[in-house]
Amino acid sequence: MESIILLIIVIIFSFVQSIIGIGLLLFGTPTLLVLGYTFIETLNILLLPSIAISFLQVISFKNKKNDKIIFYQNNFFIICIPSLILGLLIMSNSYEFINFNYIVSMLLLLSAISRLSIKFSNIIFGQLNNSVSKIVFFIIGIIHGITNLGGSFLSLYVSAI
């Protein structure tokens, strides 16, 4: 029965993510935490389907006229995946020593402020050149690996470009 509930949760939030770009990790993480799963278990359940959906969204988006989108497509997985793995390693090796609730709370607050204020979002993401964007991809990957919140920052970045 537990497997069926997990499958339903993953399917519902995957559907949401496929429509609006975020959802599986944003809604699935708190749902599984409320259901009693640990943060590590939650990551193990949700991260791979989320990566698969994001990958399919990136490769299915065809816009050959926008250089920033082409840059985004070409560099997203090359930069974000290794830094995401690094973030996961950091989180899994320091989970017992660091209270990630504070880090997650601060990043949620920053994400909410960025979503509510276009001016604030543009300050953070709006005027980035390609070399700085690679650093942003790397940071987003680490944030995603450590806190499971990289998707919201990635969607803010994509909205800005």
Side-chain angles (χ1 to χ4, degrees):
M1 184 68 172
E2 184 177 331
S3 297
I4 293 172
I5 293 171
L6 282 175
L7 184 60
I8 290 169
I9 289 170
V10 169
I11 289 171
I12 290 171
F13 293 137
S14 293
F15 182 72
V16 170
Q17 182 169 332
S18 68
I19 293 171
I20 63 172
I22 56 174
L24 185 56
L25 296 173
L26 183 66
F27 302 121
T29 300
T31 301
L32 293 182
L33 292 174
V34 166
L35 290 174
Y37 289 91
T38 66
F39 189 63
I40 301 280
E41 291 170 329
T42 300
L43 282 176
N44 287 332
I45 294 166
L46 299 177
L47 198 55
L48 188 58
S50 178
I51 290 170
I53 293 166
S54 296
F55 177 74
L56 291 172
Q57 288 173 322
V58 168
I59 63 170
S60 68
F61 187 80
K62 304 287 186 225
N63 185 341
K64 301 298 182 193
K65 296 178 183 176
N66 188 325
D67 290 339
K68 285 189 177 187
I69 291 175
I70 293 168
F71 171 82
Y72 167 76
Q73 287 176 316
N74 291 338
N75 288 286
F76 173 69
F77 286 101
I78 295 169
I79 297 170
C80 277
I81 296 298
S83 62
L84 185 144
I85 292 168
L86 178 62
L88 283 170
L89 289 171
I90 292 168
M91 189 272 303
S92 62
N93 289 323
S94 60
Y95 187 75
E96 298 173 0
F97 309 109
I98 298 174
N99 187 344
F100 286 96
N101 293 338
Y102 294 120
I103 296 170
V104 170
S105 298
M106 289 186 318
L107 289 172
L108 279 172
L109 184 61
L110 181 62
S111 176
I113 291 169
S114 296
R115 288 206 179 274
L116 294 173
S117 171
I118 294 172
K119 186 180 283 189
F120 184 75
S121 180
N122 285 337
I123 290 170
I124 294 174
F125 297 112
Q127 303 300 320
L128 300 176
N129 62 36
N130 286 351
S131 61
V132 175
S133 292
K134 291 178 182 181
I135 295 168
V136 170
F137 284 141
F138 185 79
I139 292 168
I140 287 172
I142 288 186
I143 289 171
H144 204 36
I146 292 175
T147 66
N148 218 9
L149 294 173
S152 60
F153 290 100
L154 184 59
S155 68
L156 287 168
Y157 175 70
V158 171
S159 295
I161 63 169

